Every structure is written in structure tokens, then in C-alpha cells.
Amino acid sequence: MNMNTDFQQYAYIPLKQFSNRVWRTYEGGALIDKWKNDSPEVDGSMPEEWIMSTVTARGKGRPENEGLSMVQTPSGTYSLKELVASNKELYLGKALADKFGTTGVLIKMLDSKERLTIQVHPDKDYAKTMLDSAFGKTESWYVLNKREINGEKSVIYMGFKEGVTREQWEILFKNQDIEGMLDCLHKIEVNPGDAYMIYGGVPHAIGSGCFLMEVQEPTDYTMRVEKVTPAGLTISDELIHQGVGEQNMLDCFHYDGCSYEEALKRWKVSPKTIDSSDKHTLNTIFNESHTDCFGLSELDLTVNGEHSLKANGSFFVAVIYYGEGTIISGGKEYSFAQGDEIFFSAAIEEVVFKSKIASKILLCYPPK
């Protein structure tokens, strides 16, 4: 039996990921510790947990494979990247394997103690032209929890207000007028259950005290307009403009400002129930009506609840936000508990989730 065949047998079982914390330029992470039942719950420079990642994080002087997910198999620990590479069609599904040859999605849990820098991500056209990448970085935020930091409510900043021009934005950037830049963006208070699409080209910043799931295209391309973080960390030129230069970085923004009401209409998403019984509720949060880059659903199970998910031709990932129970797959039982992150290959035909206690399971899907 060669190594590839060995790897292929794992496409038929649920694969749990080991913790995968990633260094960033901002502080946070205590609410990730809390979710993972880790103690102490501390804020530090590892404020993100990357889930089922086959991409590495960008950052000077960081470990070479930072960001790559490692999963548990009956014969040891392997990176999800090497398992997928052993048989892309089996793990990803034929359509995805043919089109991308990779998962096509990156999932993160993110907890901010401080406001993140004002930033923008490339849309697909810009990514292709300027960064030679098939993926931009359209992303989404699903707010799970919040906390007040120094008496400040949890907010996000998103989209230009009406009348903001490139010329004006460039002057504010050159002068590093942070308050002036923040004032150009809509400030939106957030609560658990709120969902937002962040399309490539839309300026944004996550405020302090936000714990959210971010589902996005699988790149780490971020253009930033602040040269020093709110906590005083100097950001390298590479992390400001990703090597394309400041003028090209400013071209990454879409200067199509709008009113506050229009901003909510463009980017805030209302979850919709697609299936329910006295034992479960299945809500769709992000789907093809918002983007073809990824999908997110939420399965709520009551005490002793149950729901079956049938294969749809591609893999999916289940993130257990809270609860515990069993998974039945291929005639075998596996346990799940709060904090688990589980990869289900395209080869798995049906998965049944059975809860012992009330459970919330976030279901992440790749591009259509």
C-alpha cells in the first residue's frame, strides 16, 4: 500500500483539527480561549484560530508553515494540505478539484481586544492583475459574541460615506490622519447573530471586543492604510501594500460611497430558516444569493436533537460553537464537543449529528 492510498482511507472519516492559532498585528484571543475551554483566557498576539486551512499566513520572521491546519488521523497527525493533495477529487469533490484544485475557502475565528487597522482586500480582478492570484479576498463576518473594552461598545467600520474621493483618501493616508480616515467610514454597532458580507474593494475595520467567525476566499492579501496599529506596533511596507506600492494599494479601494441605510442594505445579511423540526433548526447565513465564494449555515440542535446532512458533491467543515454529542458517519460513531473543528470530505455520503445537550454547529461550505 503506497502512501497515497494510506491517505485516501481518511477521506471516509470525520477529521478533527488540532488548535491552529495564528500571529497577527493586533491583540486579542481571550474569547477563543474561552470557547476552547482553555485557561487562562488571555489576550495576546495570537488572536485568530484558522480552520481547515491549506494556506500559510503572511508575515516576516514567522514560522514557515504558520496557518496550515493539522488534522488527527488513526495513524498520526498530517496537514490537511497533504491529505487533500493525495486525492483532490476524493477530498474536495470533482467540481472543486477540477476548478481550483484546493479547498477554495479559509475559515477563521477572530477575537479583537483592540480595533483592527483600516484595511481593504482585493476583488478577483485586482487580485488577478496586481497579485497574480486566482482568488481575491471577499469575506464575511458572523458575530458570535462581544465584550466591552474600556467602556467601548463593539462596532465595525465599513464602506465609504457619500462623497469620499480617492484624492481625499490619499491625503488622509499621506498625513496618517487616522481619525479622518475612520470618519470616512460608516460606524455600525454589532450584536451576536449579526452577519455582514465584506466584498473585495470595500474598506473596513473590526472594532474592539468583537468575536466572530470569518469565512473568506483563501488568501491572506490585506492592504492597510495605517502605518502604526492602535496599540503602537509599526506595520512593515509589505503588510501595507503587499508589494504593489502605495499608489496601487490606493487603487484597491472602491470609491463608491453610500448612506448608512444603503450600507446596511448592501452588506448586512439576515439569516433565514431553511429546515426545522422540534429537534433542530437549520439556518442559512451566507449563500449564493450573497456570493459564489463560500457558504455558511448554522445548525441548532435541542437537547437530544438530531439532524442528517446528505452529501452535496463537495466537502464541508463543522465548527462546534457549543454543545456536545455524537456524529454518525459510515456506520461508526464519533464524539463532538464545544471547540471542535471537523472536516468532512466529499467522499462522505451522509452525516448525522445527535446532541446530548443543546448545540450550535456552524457549517462552512466551499465555493459553488
Side-chain angles (χ1 to χ4, degrees):
M1 206 185 227
N2 68 23
M3 187 51 100
N4 272 1
T5 323
D6 271 347
F7 279 172
Q8 288 174 37
Q9 66 186 321
Y10 304 137
Y12 298 95
I13 59 172
L15 296 168
K16 281 187 189 173
Q17 171 181 295
F18 289 94
S19 185
N20 185 26
R21 295 289 280 273
V22 176
W23 181 89
R24 300 277 87 176
T25 58
Y26 67 95
E27 285 224 326
L31 289 183
I32 298 178
D33 292 341
K34 185 178 181 177
W35 167 57
K36 288 280 193 183
N37 290 317
D38 289 340
S39 61
E41 296 166 13
V42 288
D43 288 307
S45 57
M46 310 289 271
E48 294 181 7
E49 166 84 357
W50 285 22
I51 298 174
M52 300 308 161
S53 165
T54 56
V55 297
T56 50
R58 291 168 75 86
K60 274 211 172 92
R62 296 301 304 160
E64 190 188 354
N65 288 329
E66 185 167 29
L68 281 185
S69 296
M70 306 302 290
V71 296
Q72 218 172 350
T73 76
S75 67
T77 303
Y78 299 102
S79 74
L80 181 66
K81 190 177 182 178
E82 59 186 325
L83 292 185
V84 167
S86 74
N87 189 327
K88 291 178 181 177
E89 195 172 312
L90 200 60
Y91 277 93
L92 304 175
K94 183 164 174 33
L96 212 59
D98 290 350
K99 188 171 182 187
F100 297 125
T102 167
T103 58
V105 69
L106 177 58
I107 307 152
K108 298 177 182 176
M109 294 301 228
L110 181 159
D111 175 41
S112 57
K113 186 192 174 190
E114 63 186 83
R115 177 182 63 73
L116 274 63
T117 51
I118 301 164
Q119 53 189 243
V120 70
H121 304 302
D123 59 23
K124 272 190 175 12
D125 289 344
Y126 185 99
K128 204 171 182 173
T129 314
M130 299 302 303
L131 300 161
D132 193 28
S133 168
F135 296 104
K137 198 185 166 195
T138 282
E139 62 186 25
S140 61
W141 297 334
Y142 185 47
V143 182
L144 296 167
N145 202 351
K146 64 175 189 173
R147 52 180 166 147
E148 277 197 17
I149 308 261
N150 303 327
E152 284 198 22
K153 291 197 157 128
S154 303
V155 299
I156 55 174
Y157 297 85
M158 202 165 180
F160 285 126
K161 292 177 180 173
E162 287 169 300
V164 176
T165 63
R166 189 190 186 286
E167 293 69 35
Q168 185 186 350
W169 191 240
E170 184 172 354
I171 291 164
L172 292 167
F173 167 66
K174 289 262 190 288
N175 295 334
Q176 282 298 287
D177 180 348
I178 310 302
E179 284 309 311
M181 287 194 278
L182 283 171
D183 198 44
C184 288
L185 308 179
H186 296 292
K187 185 179 182 177
I188 304 166
E189 198 180 320
V190 295
N191 289 298
D194 286 353
Y196 291 87
M197 280 299 307
I198 299 91
Y199 296 104
V202 176
H204 58 276
I206 296 171
S208 62
C210 294
F211 177 43
L212 48 87
M213 173 180 263
E214 185 174 273
V215 187
Q216 57 162 87
E217 289 185 87
T219 72
D220 198 19
Y221 293 126
T222 299
M223 313 290 185
R224 297 169 177 86
V225 287
E226 293 178 63
K227 297 191 174 185
V228 177
T229 71
L233 184 74
T234 302
I235 298 179
S236 69
D237 282 352
E238 185 203 358
L239 289 178
I240 294 280
H241 56 65
Q242 301 290 329
V244 302
E246 289 183 354
Q247 286 303 315
N248 286 325
M249 180 271 288
L250 292 166
D251 287 339
C252 190
F253 292 86
H254 292 181
Y255 298 93
D256 53 352
C258 63
S259 69
Y260 181 84
E261 292 68 29
E262 175 61 27
L264 292 182
K265 212 183 280 178
R266 281 185 192 180
W267 302 310
K268 193 174 186 188
V269 170
S270 300
K272 288 188 173 64
T273 300
I274 44 175
D275 186 9
S276 67
S277 71
D278 55 355
K279 299 205 162 189
H280 83 285
T281 306
L282 182 64
N283 292 324
T284 174
I285 299 161
F286 304 113
N287 55 49
E288 55 270 30
S289 68
H290 312 114
T291 178
D292 59 3
C293 295
F294 47 76
L296 176 65
S297 298
E298 175 181 76
L299 176 61
D300 286 309
L301 297 173
T302 59
V303 179
N304 297 322
E306 185 177 325
H307 186 61
S308 159
L309 293 170
K310 299 268 195 296
N312 69 350
S314 63
F315 77 89
F316 73 95
V317 173
V319 177
I320 314 300
Y321 185 51
Y322 58 75
E324 62 179 81
T326 53
I327 294 161
I328 298 161
S329 173
K332 290 192 178 145
E333 281 201 4
Y334 305 86
S335 65
F336 72 79
Q338 179 174 317
D340 282 349
E341 303 150 4
I342 311 159
F343 182 91
F344 296 90
S345 299
I348 293 174
E349 287 173 5
E350 187 182 12
V351 178
V352 180
F353 288 96
K354 286 187 169 185
S355 58
K356 285 183 191 152
I357 58 175
S359 302
K360 184 183 286 294
I361 301 167
L362 301 162
L363 303 167
C364 310
Y365 294 95
K368 281 284 179 200

